[in-house]
Amino acid sequence: MSFSTLGLSAPLLKAVKEQGYSEPTPIQKQAIPVILSRKDILAGAQTGTGKTAGFTLPLLELLSSTKPAKSKQSIRALIITPTRELAAQVGESVEVYGKYLSFKSAIIFGGVKINPQLTKLKKGVDIVIATPGRLLDHVSQKSIDLRDVEFLILDEADRMLDMGFINDIKKILAILPKQKQTLLFSATYSEEIKKLSDKLLNSPVLIEVARPNIASQSVKQVVYPVDKERKRELLAHLINEGKWKQVLVFTRTKHGANRLTGQLEKDGITAVAIHGNKSQNARTKALDDFKKGEVRVLVATDIAARGIDIDQLPHVINYELPNVPEDYIHRIGRTGRAGNEGEAISLVCIDEHEYLANIEKLIKNDIQKVWLKDFKPDPSIKAEPINQGGGRGSNSRGRAQNKAPQSPKKEHSRRKNRNSI
Ligand code: AMP
């Protein structure tokens, strides 16, 4: 099947061709015609499936085939994403696919100066790609008019809820017009997502490319059991032996990410950390350096890594398993993207066995375990409770599966920590 059969017009097909895409991905095949028929959709699709083009292409098509908005200041399409990185990447896709159309778009997120955004909005834009907090700042300053929004896209809605954005989302929904087409994308399903979609979507068409909660098939997954104290040594060994040039490594906490980065540098392996304590500019630079191949290892926390789009990332390492099992799926979605083979390796110590069991339960599969000759765990070491390091908290789903309930005060600070990652 080629893109030309999907109902997209010449300017979009030309832009797609320039990207070198020969054939639409499964999500694109399914979603594009449905969106073009003006229906709401609820799509279960992970990052790496081509979902961004799956909604951006038909959105641009609909915008060019329908009448423009009433006033210069009104926004016709609003795309909300959980993180700045994802907003930037979706914004880039809108530019790339809309290259031969004349729409103006603006990327709106916090952590950077608001003035350039104000200037851009004042000139008038058709499409806004925003994170919830900064979007609401603009709403309260009246620098953005959302009353004429015709298309609403919630990208990675599950992550938005995880990050505690539900109230912001509700506030935004309250000012949007009732009559609009809404597209909701989520990598995983939960009760909260169901509730949100029931409220928001009008007879949606359900689209699923990989069954929800099943990790991407093109990713080879393996667990290396290893003692906690020897993880750093094993990681350096894997990177050096495999002559890996580009590897994404996940830690549970910001502190852990910094520490590991320093240790890798000491081992002579170039590394950089990306997490919420870094400024937006530092995060962008870290990602650029990694993409350019100037550093071999990008060490990331879960939320900071969301939406990172790096073509053909061959290796993802879980230096520490996530305490929220769904995060495992998000993490390994960084590799094996759009049909490329990828490898997700988890270094698992005895303390993490419960986390591993929860992940295997979620993906409904046992992950292959490989005991490396020189790194076999010492059987005399006993499991100890995992210190969350004050960096990353659990969420309601993770807590239900992993932990005893926290006191309300503690839970509040855990959520706050999580939001700040
Ligand atoms: P996404 O799931 O939107 O994050 O996209 C993942 C990656 O797939 C991006 O790097 C896209 O450029 C790429 N991609 C999107 N559509 C296609 C396609 N039809 N063929 C090949 N690559 C694609």
Side-chain angles (χ1 to χ4, degrees):
M1 186 196 235
S2 87
F3 273 99
S4 57
T5 59
L6 291 175
L8 300 169
S9 53
L12 291 166
L13 292 176
K14 191 172 170 193
V16 164
K17 199 168 168 205
E18 277 180 17
Q19 286 307 297
Y21 305 162
S22 48
E23 169 174 26
T25 63
I27 182 82
Q28 292 162 1
K29 279 180 203 162
Q30 292 184 52
I32 294 174
V34 176
I35 298 171
L36 288 178
S37 71
R38 308 295 315 244
K39 293 203 172 77
D40 284 3
I41 67 166
L42 171 58
Q46 300 164 27
T47 321
T49 53
K51 69 179 165 64
T52 315
F55 65 75
T56 307
L57 291 169
L59 171 69
L60 291 166
E61 181 68 42
L62 288 172
L63 286 172
S64 50
S65 59
T66 52
K67 268 198 234 133
K70 286 166 208 148
S71 81
K72 196 174 157 192
Q73 242 54 44
S74 54
I75 310 297
R76 296 185 66 192
L78 176 63
I79 303 171
I80 307 180
T81 71
T83 65
R84 300 160 184 177
E85 281 80 8
L86 187 59
Q89 278 162 15
V90 172
E92 211 175 287
S93 296
V94 170
E95 289 285 319
V96 166
Y97 302 130
K99 195 172 160 193
Y100 298 107
L101 295 168
S102 53
F103 296 114
K104 292 198 179 71
S105 59
I107 304 166
I108 301 283
F109 55 66
V112 293
K113 288 194 185 110
I114 200 164
N115 281 345
Q117 297 175 358
L118 291 172
T119 313
K120 198 149 197 194
L121 288 170
K122 235 185 222 145
K123 285 188 191 153
V125 294
D126 308 283
I127 306 163
V128 163
I129 306 100
T131 52
R134 180 57 68 87
L135 179 63
L136 283 171
D137 290 344
H138 281 284
V139 168
S140 58
Q141 289 194 23
K142 297 202 170 26
S143 46
I144 196 164
D145 182 352
L146 299 177
R147 284 173 303 179
D148 295 324
V149 166
E150 301 158 48
F151 303 95
L152 169 68
I153 292 129
L154 294 179
D155 195 10
E156 303 198 351
D158 49 348
R159 182 56 50 155
M160 279 188 230
L161 301 185
D162 269 4
M163 290 170 75
F165 283 139
I166 187 68
N167 286 333
D168 286 352
I169 298 290
K170 280 184 183 160
K171 280 184 206 157
I172 296 163
L173 295 181
I175 39 182
L176 295 176
K178 270 220 146 51
Q179 185 72 24
K180 62 185 174 304
Q181 186 177 358
T182 306
L183 317 175
L184 195 149
F185 286 79
S186 182
T188 52
Y189 285 122
S190 64
E191 270 308 305
E192 287 153 305
I193 288 288
K194 275 197 202 98
K195 257 194 240 161
L196 182 69
S197 59
D198 285 349
K199 194 170 154 232
L200 191 60
L201 303 177
N202 186 9
S203 315
V205 175
L206 298 181
I207 294 178
E208 246 177 56
V209 285
R211 275 186 294 140
N213 300 344
I214 298 288
S216 163
Q217 296 298 317
S218 55
V219 179
K220 183 173 170 255
Q221 300 170 62
V222 64
V223 162
Y224 291 147
V226 60
D227 290 330
K228 188 160 76 185
E229 302 308 323
R230 299 198 64 202
K231 283 189 177 186
R232 165 197 174 182
E233 197 189 330
L234 174 55
L235 178 62
H237 169 81
L238 291 171
I239 294 171
N240 287 329
E241 283 295 298
K243 299 192 174 59
W244 293 345
K245 294 201 164 45
Q246 213 183 28
V247 50
L248 176 60
V249 176
F250 283 96
T251 59
R252 268 191 302 268
T253 66
K254 297 181 253 194
H255 178 62
N258 285 340
R259 196 174 44 213
L260 181 62
T261 305
Q263 289 170 341
L264 286 169
E265 290 278 348
K266 270 195 203 139
D267 292 336
I269 298 168
T270 49
V272 65
I274 179 167
H275 56 66
N277 278 5
K278 303 245 168 187
S279 70
Q280 187 55 40
N281 286 344
R283 285 155 76 164
T284 308
K285 182 173 182 322
L287 195 55
D288 281 351
D289 288 349
F290 182 64
K291 281 187 177 180
K292 279 190 276 181
E294 282 169 15
V295 290
R296 287 168 85 183
V297 183
L298 183 68
V299 184
T301 55
D302 288 276
I303 290 178
R306 282 303 280 173
I308 288 181
D309 177 17
I310 302 155
D311 284 339
Q312 303 180 6
L313 191 59
H315 308 283
V316 166
I317 307 288
N318 294 308
Y319 188 75
E320 293 160 329
L321 285 181
N323 52 330
V324 177
E326 283 83 354
D327 283 345
Y328 177 82
I329 294 176
H330 291 302
R331 287 180 179 190
I332 73 166
R334 315 281 108 211
T335 182
R337 298 164 79 74
N340 295 302
E341 278 276 315
E343 188 178 31
I345 296 174
S346 302
L347 311 188
V348 179
C349 70
I350 191 162
D351 304 347
E352 296 170 303
H353 283 187
E354 199 186 328
Y355 290 176
L356 180 61
N358 287 332
I359 289 165
E360 290 181 326
K361 203 163 121 194
L362 178 72
I363 64 172
K364 299 190 178 72
N365 242 325
D366 282 348
I367 305 171
Q368 186 196 0
K369 320 251 167 353
V370 175
W371 281 266
L372 297 173
K373 199 168 123 263
D374 296 328
F375 290 91
K376 281 197 184 131
D378 176 350
S380 68
I381 297 178
K382 299 269 172 292
E384 283 176 18
I386 291 175
N387 177 7
Q388 295 296 335
R392 178 173 168 73
S394 178
N395 69 356
S396 54
R397 288 174 300 160
R399 196 180 63 242
Q401 283 162 11
N402 296 327
K403 297 233 169 289
Q406 301 287 320
S407 73
K409 201 170 158 198
K410 213 167 170 186
E411 174 62 3
H412 175 71
S413 82
R414 287 163 71 85
R415 276 189 177 274
K416 237 172 91 186
N417 279 330
R418 182 176 176 127
N419 295 347
S420 73
I421 288 176

